[in-house]
Amino acid sequence: NLQVARERVVVVPNAVDLETLDTMVNGGARRALRDSLGLSETDPLLLSVGRIEENKGFQVLVEALARLASDVESTARSRWHWALVGDGPNRPRLERAVRTAGLADRVTFAGRVDECELHAWYEAASLFVHPTLYEGSSLVTLEAMAHRRPVIATRAGGIPDKVTPGVSGWLVEPGDADALAHAVGEALGAMNRVAGMGDAGRAIVEREFSWVTATDRLLDLY
């Protein structure tokens, strides 16, 4: 405990390089990824990015998606697909959970990819889902928002500083599969709002979490 007075603490958040990110937008790569999954332009693609380990909460998302898959009331909900970009020690266990839940035909494990392909995945996605159990700042959430993708995430770490419920996405409590299923279902039922929410997320990043903003704050502080 450094016993520093609160009024002396200034937070300059992690930020993303929007100029470089925008150069990675590739419409052809986006279409190729959706085609490889057999998805039309209107089929919802859920995307998650991260190291596959326990604290990322992907096992909770599998539970949530299994519950969502059993809901046949909505045609839109019946056509979604989830892609997970990343690798890690929990991948075999997660793959087994996907098969056990009967979701194998709805889930793609993309593994590790390079930067260009990662940003193509962001562009191909309809919604970004980050079910983490605990978190620091979450750069992947910022990247998804920079790509104008609404975010469904947990109230963990610095995520509530970025995702505004009803504006740029949805927030649920960490580890709550029921709440996560409800949020994903609600998002899939509101696809007409996706573009507006994505634009709102991009505006938040530009205003609060870009490299330009972070640099200006550091210069002001010094």
Side-chain angles (χ1 to χ4, degrees):
N1 188 341
L2 297 178
Q3 297 181 341
V4 177
R6 179 178 291 274
E7 59 269 19
R8 296 193 63 190
V9 176
V10 178
V11 177
V12 179
N14 280 345
V16 292
D17 181 355
L18 290 177
E19 184 176 344
T20 299
L21 182 148
D22 288 342
T23 66
M24 295 186 182
V25 174
N26 184 320
R30 173 191 180 278
R31 287 190 295 273
L33 283 176
R34 292 187 70 90
D35 287 346
S36 71
L37 299 175
L39 299 177
S40 72
E41 283 300 308
T42 58
D43 290 334
L45 174 59
L46 312 175
L47 174 68
S48 297
V49 177
R51 182 166 169 78
I52 306 178
E53 49 192 19
E54 196 75 22
N55 69 289
K56 292 302 180 183
F58 295 129
Q59 67 279 2
V60 180
L61 181 53
V62 170
E63 293 177 33
L65 294 179
R67 297 174 195 188
L68 195 64
S70 66
D71 179 3
V72 296
E73 295 180 4
S74 169
T75 301
R77 294 180 190 180
S78 70
R79 300 173 67 183
W80 55 263
H81 193 91
W82 175 45
L84 173 55
V85 174
D87 210 342
N90 210 37
R91 177 170 175 171
R93 179 183 171 191
L94 194 65
E95 288 177 329
R96 287 194 297 271
V98 165
R99 291 192 297 270
T100 300
L103 297 175
D105 60 340
R106 292 179 176 271
V107 176
T108 294
F109 287 86
R112 295 178 181 174
V113 300
D114 61 29
E115 281 292 306
C116 288
E117 185 175 347
L118 171 61
H119 289 282
W121 276 109
Y122 283 124
E123 285 292 306
S126 311
L127 300 159
F128 186 75
V129 188
H130 195 55
T132 185
L133 301 181
Y134 58 89
E135 192 74 27
S137 177
S138 185
L139 283 175
V140 293
T141 297
L142 286 179
E143 288 177 343
M145 293 170 65
H147 279 279
R148 294 182 167 83
R149 297 301 177 260
V151 174
I152 303 167
T154 54
R155 292 185 181 90
I159 294 176
D161 295 337
K162 303 168 181 63
V163 180
T164 303
V167 177
S168 59
W170 291 258
L171 289 177
V172 301
E173 294 304 314
D176 190 335
D178 284 331
L180 188 56
H182 178 78
V184 174
E186 185 175 296
L188 291 175
M191 296 302 290
N192 60 321
R193 296 173 54 201
V194 162
M197 296 181 81
D199 288 343
R202 171 71 185 215
I204 291 171
V205 175
E206 290 178 350
R207 185 174 64 248
E208 303 289 339
F209 300 100
S210 71
W211 272 15
V212 171
T213 299
T215 300
D216 287 345
R217 287 182 181 178
L218 280 172
L219 290 174
D220 289 343
L221 176 62
Y222 282 119

